Amino acid sequence: MKLLRYILLFFICTAFATAATASEQKDEPVDVKEIVLGHMSDAYEWHITTWNGHHVSIPLPVIVKGEESGWHVFSSARFHHAPDGIYEGFYLNEEANGKIYELLPDGTSVRPWDFSITKNVLQIWIAAALMLVIFIGSARWYRKRKSDSAAPKGFVGLIEMFVMSINDDLIKPSVGEKHYKRFAPYLLTAFFFIFTTNLLGLIPIFPGGANVTGNINITFFLALATMLVVNFSGNREYWKEIFWPPVPAWLKVPVPMMPVIELFGIFTKPFALMVRLFANIMGGHAIILSLTCIIFITCQLGALIGTPLTVVSFALMIFMNCLELLVAFIQAYVFTMLSAVFIGLALPEEHHS
């Protein structure tokens, strides 16, 4: 009961913080599209809040390679202090989702090579650092204990429960008892990375709030990693089932219909992983932010109409935050489960004729 109280208190505070973040300028009309897309998109600075009309944000390093001017490294705060927002020939193109563009001497604008530390990149580093602290700390606890020591309690016991549950109940039966140990490190890393970034995304203030797994570039890389692991680990029987599947011969020659379908499946499986994770996380963030905006839209309608609608919106926002906590776990679990299943399918038992 005490844990449930803490969780409910956390989500009430989160809802208040989200509401405060979404309503930074109360006297101005609420632009739902700008608020939702602004909080869900990547950025070259980490916006904290707006105080007395001044934006409080953490500037991040900009690292770009111009087409003719070479490498440039500077703070993203330079864009706000430079004339017309152009610094060293670079500017933020609002028509291209705030991406950096280079203004060439002939007046044309081009997209430079961009290696900047954006909000999502910093969030990934924070998640990685958090995972290192948690798991290295847990490993040190085990290093100091003997094999006959009592089971760990507290936070280390919670981490052990998570790891053993994912390893024994998901990875082992999906991949197979013969091969699961080879792939457990990758699958456990993928699970805890997605779960950690999802949890951080529920916190609306620094060091959370970035929409990492709601960025299709991130989910694309995760799906690509699974595709590479699956296909580089596939045995001879796996490739035989793709190029010469056990179906009637007329489905394979003279028109290789089934081999083409099986080959196409190599790419559709990771594509499904990518879109599933991206769409679910992005949709959850969009709903929470939209419900937040309703609070301030209804406040402008007057006390009689606005008060009951605000109460309903606030209650729905708390409910959605609680639901997102469950979704954060489920999406990490589903991605890991499907990755483990795909790896297991790539390691079928060889049939000797």
Side-chain angles (χ1 to χ4, degrees):
M1 290 298 295
K2 190 179 290 186
L3 178 61
L4 289 175
R5 262 185 260 135
Y6 287 145
I7 292 174
L8 182 60
L9 179 62
F10 166 77
F11 282 118
I12 292 174
C13 295
T14 299
F16 271 117
T18 307
T21 304
S23 177
E24 292 163 347
Q25 298 177 349
K26 295 181 182 178
D27 299 330
E28 297 183 3
V30 178
D31 189 341
V32 178
K33 180 180 178 181
E34 181 181 354
I35 291 174
V36 174
L37 295 181
H39 282 76
M40 290 172 57
S41 60
D42 202 0
Y44 294 94
E45 63 181 10
W46 201 306
H47 185 264
I48 306 298
T49 187
T50 299
W51 186 264
N52 292 331
H54 299 286
H55 294 290
V56 179
S57 59
I58 301 174
L60 300 175
V62 174
I63 307 170
V64 290
K65 184 179 185 300
E67 189 170 302
E68 299 176 356
S69 55
W71 289 96
H72 298 260
V73 180
F74 54 89
S75 170
S76 61
R78 299 286 188 181
F79 289 122
H80 302 293
H81 303 295
D84 299 325
I86 301 175
Y87 182 78
E88 295 184 357
F90 299 93
Y91 68 98
L92 298 176
N93 191 343
E94 298 300 331
E95 297 179 356
N97 297 323
K99 298 298 183 182
I100 294 178
Y101 273 72
E102 182 183 12
L103 187 62
L104 299 178
D106 60 1
T108 59
S109 295
V110 295
R111 185 89 166 89
W113 287 97
D114 192 352
F115 301 92
S116 303
I117 309 302
T118 62
K119 181 180 178 180
N120 282 346
V121 173
L122 182 58
Q123 183 75 96
I124 290 172
W125 288 1
I126 292 173
L130 187 61
M131 289 171 62
L132 286 173
V133 169
I134 290 172
F135 291 109
I136 291 177
S138 300
R140 286 179 177 174
W141 188 94
Y142 283 100
R143 204 172 294 152
K144 296 176 183 177
R145 298 297 186 273
K146 297 180 180 179
S147 58
D148 58 346
S149 299
K153 299 179 180 179
F155 185 74
V156 177
L158 178 66
I159 297 301
E160 179 185 318
M161 180 200 71
F162 259 115
V163 172
M164 297 305 294
S165 175
I166 299 300
N167 184 70
D168 295 345
D169 299 334
L170 191 156
I171 298 174
K172 188 175 180 180
S174 298
V175 177
E177 191 168 350
K178 184 178 179 181
H179 304 285
Y180 81 96
K181 290 183 180 180
R182 291 168 50 196
F183 304 98
Y186 164 71
L187 293 170
L188 286 170
T189 301
F191 171 82
F192 283 104
F193 172 77
I194 296 171
F195 186 48
T196 303
T197 53
N198 287 349
L199 289 181
L200 288 173
L202 294 177
I203 304 173
I205 57 175
F206 185 85
N211 188 31
V212 175
T213 49
N215 186 317
I216 200 166
N217 295 311
I218 306 299
T219 59
F220 167 77
F221 178 80
L222 291 170
L224 179 64
T226 294
M227 186 182 77
L228 293 176
V229 169
V230 168
N231 290 286
F232 279 106
S233 303
N235 58 19
R236 184 173 59 181
E237 191 68 25
Y238 166 72
W239 291 107
K240 180 181 176 182
E241 289 179 358
I242 290 177
F243 291 106
W244 196 257
V247 294
W250 63 271
L251 292 173
K252 296 180 285 189
V253 290
V255 179
M257 183 170 63
M258 286 305 298
V260 169
I261 293 174
E262 292 290 339
L263 191 62
F264 190 66
I266 293 177
F267 303 98
T268 56
K269 290 174 183 176
F271 180 79
L273 284 178
M274 175 186 71
V275 174
R276 180 189 298 272
L277 180 59
F278 159 72
N280 281 281
I281 300 301
M282 184 187 68
H285 281 265
I287 292 173
I288 291 174
L289 289 168
S290 299
L291 289 172
T292 306
C293 293
I294 291 175
I295 294 175
F296 302 101
I297 292 174
T298 54
C299 284
Q300 298 173 355
L301 301 177
L304 184 62
I305 301 176
T307 301
L309 291 177
T310 298
V311 172
V312 172
S313 297
F314 188 76
L316 286 174
M317 188 167 56
I318 294 176
F319 170 75
M320 284 303 302
N321 272 284
C322 295
L323 186 61
E324 277 296 292
L325 178 62
L326 181 62
V327 171
F329 173 80
I330 290 176
Q331 291 307 313
Y333 189 92
V334 169
F335 185 94
T336 308
M337 179 186 67
L338 291 177
S339 297
V341 169
F342 295 157
I343 292 172
L345 292 174
L347 298 167
E349 294 294 331
E350 298 192 18
H351 304 291
H352 302 283
S353 55

